[in-house]
Amino acid sequence: RTQQLAEVVRAVKGESSASLFQQPARLTFQAIRTHLNREFQQLDSLLHASLEVLGVGGRLVVICFKRAEADAVRRFVRRHEECDPDVVGDWPLDRIRRLYPLLARDEDPDAPEWCVAEAMPPLRASAEELRANTRARSARALVLEKGARRVRLADFA
């Protein structure tokens, strides 16, 4: 059955890539696995649980091998980042709520008392590391830093 699905994908998508890692059937199987294993939901749960136990000022390094993984981490950061009051101070309240979901959750008793930010640009493998380990070519290490929340929606009212 696996071969049948691969043949269907090949018939629909063709052999569109010279790279073995970008073959349509391979990508299709990865997408099915990702969905069935709820990998992005698991990643979100892991990030939340990790930041719950991490101390303020602590850093969490997440190594991502696929762009979709890095995007999922950045979406998590986006939902848990704190705004700069000097930048958004004159904005309408509804825009602040929309752009900073953590502020919009102020009345939610389950809202975290912490925020998170990317501490630095993503780290990539050095040329030396790539020579020793070619599988590191797509790896990106995202460094997240936990902070204490200082800004509340009420500060803008």
Side-chain angles (χ1 to χ4, degrees), residues 6 42 66-67 84 89 97 111 127 130 132:
Q42 295 292 330
K66 295 186 176 17
R67 173 173 282 178
D84 180 344
R97 276 191 188 104
L130 290 174

Side-chain angles (χ1 to χ4, degrees), residues 4 22-23 25 29-30 33 61 63-64 79 93 95 97 104 109 113 116:
Q4 289 173 326
Q22 297 298 317
Q23 293 296 318
F29 285 112
Q30 286 176 348
R33 185 207 66 225
V61 178
I63 300 174
C64 301
R79 289 191 316 269
L93 212 49
R95 182 175 185 204
R97 276 191 188 104
E113 288 298 316
V116 67

Side-chain angles (χ1 to χ4, degrees), residues 72-107:
V73 172
R74 288 194 173 104
R75 279 192 304 274
F76 179 88
V77 169
R78 185 82 185 87
R79 289 191 316 269
H80 294 87
E81 71 182 339
E82 191 163 70
C83 68
D84 180 344
D86 295 331
V87 173
V88 303
D90 295 332
W91 293 3
L93 212 49
D94 63 321
R95 182 175 185 204
I96 296 171
R97 276 191 188 104
R98 188 174 67 253
L99 294 176
Y100 294 94
L102 185 60
L103 282 177
R105 294 181 57 198
D106 275 353
E107 295 177 7

Side-chain angles (χ1 to χ4, degrees), residues 47-61 114 116 144-147:
L47 292 170
H48 196 275
S50 298
L51 286 158
E52 279 290 324
V53 298
L54 192 65
V56 170
R59 291 186 172 185
L60 172 67
V61 178
W114 47 265
V116 67
L144 309 182
E145 186 170 341
K146 181 178 178 177

